[in-house]
Amino acid sequence: MSVTETGLSAATRAEYCVVACAEAWRGDGEVLASPMGTVPAIGARLAKLTFSPDLLLTDGEALLMADVPAVGQRPGAVEGWLPFRQHLALTATGRRHVMMGASQLDRYGNQNISCIGDWARPTRQLLGVRGAPVNTLNNPTSYWVPKHSARVFVERVDMVSGVGYDRAAAAGPAATRYHRIPEVVTNLGVFDFETPDRTMRLRSLHPGVTVEQVAGATGFALTVPDEVPFTREPTEAELRLIREVVDPKGLREREVPA
């Protein structure tokens, strides 16, 4: 039965993105999910309510939530305290899966959130490297890019904040032991690095998107399989959770307009 036959309207592009982000945490077990951005936050909550019930979620400050409130709401029940120092301990021991943003990403998954232009005299100052090096070397680190463009997906990042597969390999076993980039989700599709040379591959297209559209919005040559599937459709139960429980205000549609 299709979604429209159940009385629910068809899934939007934003809702496909939510499901794709949720899938990043499938099978992770009891780890801390650290989503950065509205759609990833909805996705992490959806994952916990469905196929990844052991995920740990925080309120964004210092509390582990025992329930799953709507995005932007305080938890109704708390199961633990996670101050910054303990959060760093989790990061250093690999018990965290973060989904970060990226101002730039290259074909090997090197990420830049620090500056645009030459490091000595950048044309734009951004966040700084923050925790990106530790995140990428000690935890699974996925990425969320709400607007896929050649300005983000570049041949070479202006500064490395998050470490990609080529740089981790060059640094040796100490860097590769826990380094993993499970997936990159954008408003156009889902990508991974499951190629022999660990370069970015198109895993799935969101409905309505073409391979040519993705290639035109990417500043390097992607690995594209002969047959590219569409991103899986949200189930009726998932759509109800997204629309009625996790994001009743429709914040997802502001991050990924129809």
Side-chain angles (χ1 to χ4, degrees):
M1 181 182 293
S2 70
V3 171
T4 53
E5 290 174 343
T6 69
L8 293 174
S9 59
T12 65
R13 177 74 60 82
E15 289 162 344
Y16 276 95
C17 291
V18 166
V19 168
C21 287
E23 287 288 347
W25 286 285
R26 183 183 285 273
D28 275 3
E30 192 175 354
V31 302
L32 180 66
S34 293
M36 300 180 185
T38 300
V39 166
I42 299 167
R45 285 165 166 78
L46 179 65
K48 183 172 177 64
L49 288 170
T50 53
F51 48 75
S52 294
D54 293 331
L55 281 180
L56 301 177
L57 298 176
T58 76
D59 65 346
E61 295 181 7
L63 300 177
L64 288 171
M65 303 188 298
D67 59 358
V68 184
V71 171
Q73 299 298 310
R74 303 293 296 176
V78 174
E79 64 178 354
W81 184 51
L82 191 67
F84 190 63
R85 181 166 58 184
Q86 290 182 330
H87 201 134
L88 288 178
L90 279 176
T91 301
T93 55
R95 292 176 290 168
R96 179 175 181 247
H97 183 168
V98 60
M99 181 171 282
M100 300 180 68
S103 300
Q104 293 179 328
L105 270 174
D106 69 20
R107 68 177 71 240
Y108 292 101
N110 293 293
Q111 171 235 35
N112 176 23
I113 53 172
S114 186
C115 64
I116 301 298
D118 183 73
W119 183 84
R121 293 183 63 86
T123 57
R124 293 288 187 275
Q125 180 65 54
L126 306 175
L127 291 173
V129 296
R130 307 296 291 261
V134 176
N135 285 338
T136 49
L137 293 182
N138 291 282
N139 307 273
T141 301
S142 295
Y143 292 105
W144 160 242
V145 178
K147 189 174 181 180
H148 191 127
S149 76
R151 294 180 63 182
V152 177
F153 291 91
V154 295
E155 184 66 39
R156 182 182 178 87
V157 297
D158 293 340
M159 180 176 176
V160 176
S161 303
V163 179
Y165 279 100
D166 59 338
R167 288 178 177 269
T176 58
R177 183 178 180 185
Y178 299 115
H179 178 268
R180 186 165 68 90
I181 307 174
E183 65 180 48
V184 177
V185 181
T186 80
N187 62 317
L188 299 183
V190 182
F191 307 81
D192 61 26
F193 298 87
E194 300 300 319
T195 56
D197 59 355
R198 289 298 196 177
T199 55
M200 191 178 291
R201 177 185 72 160
L202 176 59
R203 184 198 296 177
S204 71
L205 294 165
H206 301 327
V209 180
T210 66
V211 171
E212 291 74 21
Q213 185 179 355
V214 171
T218 305
F220 52 83
L222 283 165
T223 296
V224 180
D226 293 336
E227 295 186 10
V228 182
F230 285 117
T231 304
R232 82 164 177 88
E233 187 176 20
T235 66
E236 178 185 354
E238 287 172 334
L239 277 181
R240 292 192 185 279
L241 286 171
I242 292 169
R243 296 173 180 180
E244 300 174 11
V245 177
V246 181
D247 184 30
K249 293 183 179 180
L251 300 176
R252 62 196 179 277
E253 304 297 337
R254 300 180 192 177
E255 194 163 48
V256 184

